Amino acid sequence: MELPLNRAPAWPILAGVCATLTGIGLQRFAYAPLLPAIVQAGLLSGGAAGALGAVNLGGYLFGAALAPAVGRAVGLRWALRGAMMAAVLGFLLCAVPGGFAWLTPWRVLTGFAGGVLMVLAGPAVQQVVPAAMRGLAAGLVFAGVGTGIVIGALLIPAMLPLGLPAAWLSLAALAAALTALSWRFWPDVPAPRPMRLPRLRGPQGRLVMAYAGAAVAQTAHMVWWPDFIARGLGQGTAVAADYWILYGVTGALGPALWGRLADRFGAAAMLRLAMAVQAVALALPLLGTSTPMLILSTICGGATAIGLTALTLTRARDLAGEQASAVWRVSTATFGLSQTLTGFLMAWLYTATQGHAALFATGLVGALCGVVLSGW
């Protein structure tokens, strides 16, 4: 039975939340609290564990680039359902003991699924919600990422005493439940049509490049923050999990807050403010590592990590109107490329320096570029 989506926008929003929670919150961000445990277990070195995070970002890039074609080939609903099932499969296969060569294809698979979900879910939901709710809808959908971070931060430490396979299997079980929950609620809207790449000049081009700068900035916290707390500062995985929970809570609240502010004050102004807050998040650990500074960095990083994604989607619709999906696709693919390259760069920097300062300095450069570009 088809749901009356025009009278019940909560249903497609719920499906969108399940998609971002699974495709980004779990498949990408749950890896961060796993990273120090993988290194401490001797399965991978710190640099190799960072590189595994980077190949996941590479899978995301391919998923984002191919998502429209996948949607046209099998239909939008089945593309979204299939991507969620692929994430479940990837988690299951990661639970099989193995090294870097074994884990790489499955982390690529989950990254690919995340890219498909990120490109297709948000615009699909925005097609069926009232125009006045689009900012809030985007914020709610992307709040699923922060919710996934919180769940991962609670779930992974609880499962690690049972072994790494148990942690991966718990992620698979949760992703399967979210897949089942969202199954009937995807809106019946057309898949993205083939279209030429937009001529990204002026504000649209600057939006894409600012989002790429945000991708560089986000990578430092997204992959390395729990490892920095646990091993870099020697505070252990339990304390690192507490910081990661805070990161997830602010990540869950941030998108809806930024979305509501964008509805009231405009996406352009809020995008500039969020970029500046992200720069603060990267500067703080370079200035000091006291508990208040670490907490503030965590809050600023979490509040902007997914909030910037919601703002970028809303700003793309402001600038491009009916062509917003094309601008969003290019933005997402550029974001994925930027994060993939940054992920490998940071893995190399960590191996070379055996420390995290160069990673945050790299992220700060990206954040400052985003500030400049978003302000034009």
Side-chain angles (χ1 to χ4, degrees):
M1 181 178 68
E2 297 299 326
L3 293 168
L5 295 176
N6 60 325
R7 297 196 300 274
W11 295 122
I13 290 174
L14 174 62
V17 170
C18 292
T20 59
L21 198 162
T22 300
I24 307 297
L26 296 181
Q27 79 82 15
R28 182 188 297 180
F29 282 97
Y31 180 72
L34 280 169
L35 191 153
I38 290 172
V39 174
Q40 290 171 348
L43 298 178
L44 296 173
S45 67
L52 189 62
V55 300
N56 175 258
L57 297 174
Y60 176 87
L61 171 62
F62 284 109
L66 296 176
V70 174
R72 290 191 296 271
V74 301
L76 188 65
R77 280 176 162 176
W78 279 106
L80 291 164
R81 291 166 175 168
M84 295 191 73
M85 290 189 291
V88 175
L89 177 62
F91 287 139
L92 288 173
L93 291 168
C94 284
V96 179
F100 186 84
W102 169 256
L103 291 172
T104 292
W106 316 131
R107 293 301 290 156
V108 171
L109 175 65
T110 54
F112 184 92
V116 171
L117 292 169
M118 181 60 79
V119 168
L120 297 182
V125 172
Q126 289 209 328
Q127 287 186 59
V128 296
V129 299
M133 289 183 59
R134 284 173 180 162
L136 177 60
L140 291 173
V141 167
F142 293 119
V145 179
T147 304
I149 297 171
V150 174
I151 292 172
L154 294 170
L155 184 63
I156 297 303
M159 299 305 296
L160 282 176
L162 303 177
L164 282 167
W168 287 114
L169 289 174
S170 67
L171 294 174
L174 180 55
L178 292 166
T179 301
L181 176 61
S182 64
W183 194 267
R184 295 177 59 241
F185 295 150
W186 286 112
D188 188 14
V189 296
R193 294 175 297 175
M195 60 179 66
R196 294 181 179 179
L197 292 178
R199 300 180 68 181
L200 297 176
R201 296 179 180 177
Q204 294 181 24
R206 292 192 291 272
L207 176 67
V208 171
M209 296 311 298
Y211 195 42
V216 175
Q218 186 188 116
T219 306
H221 277 80
M222 181 188 73
V223 177
W224 294 96
W225 192 244
D227 189 64
F228 171 61
I229 303 295
R231 297 195 306 120
L233 299 182
Q235 296 187 20
T237 55
V239 174
D242 291 338
Y243 279 100
W244 199 240
I245 291 170
L246 178 61
Y247 184 91
V249 170
T250 54
L253 297 176
L257 174 61
W258 289 114
R260 177 53 73 187
L261 291 173
D263 286 336
R264 182 166 183 179
F265 299 107
M270 290 303 100
L271 183 66
R272 289 191 291 270
L273 177 59
M275 291 284 186
V277 173
Q278 187 181 55
V280 171
L282 273 300
L284 285 170
L286 295 172
L287 297 175
T289 57
S290 65
T291 298
M293 296 185 80
L294 293 175
I295 291 174
L296 185 57
S297 177
T298 303
I299 292 172
C300 291
T304 55
I306 306 94
L308 277 167
T309 297
L311 287 170
T312 301
L313 175 59
T314 304
R315 181 60 176 155
R317 184 166 290 276
D318 289 346
L319 293 173
E322 294 301 318
Q323 296 295 313
S325 292
V327 175
W328 176 242
R329 277 183 249 166
V330 175
S331 298
T332 302
T334 305
F335 185 95
L337 176 61
S338 181
Q339 277 206 326
T340 300
L341 296 176
T342 303
F344 283 112
L345 173 62
M346 288 185 174
W348 176 81
L349 286 172
Y350 181 83
T351 301
T353 65
Q354 291 299 301
H356 297 81
L359 315 184
F360 295 116
T362 301
L364 180 59
V365 171
L368 292 175
C369 289
V371 170
V372 172
L373 289 166
S374 64
W376 285 8

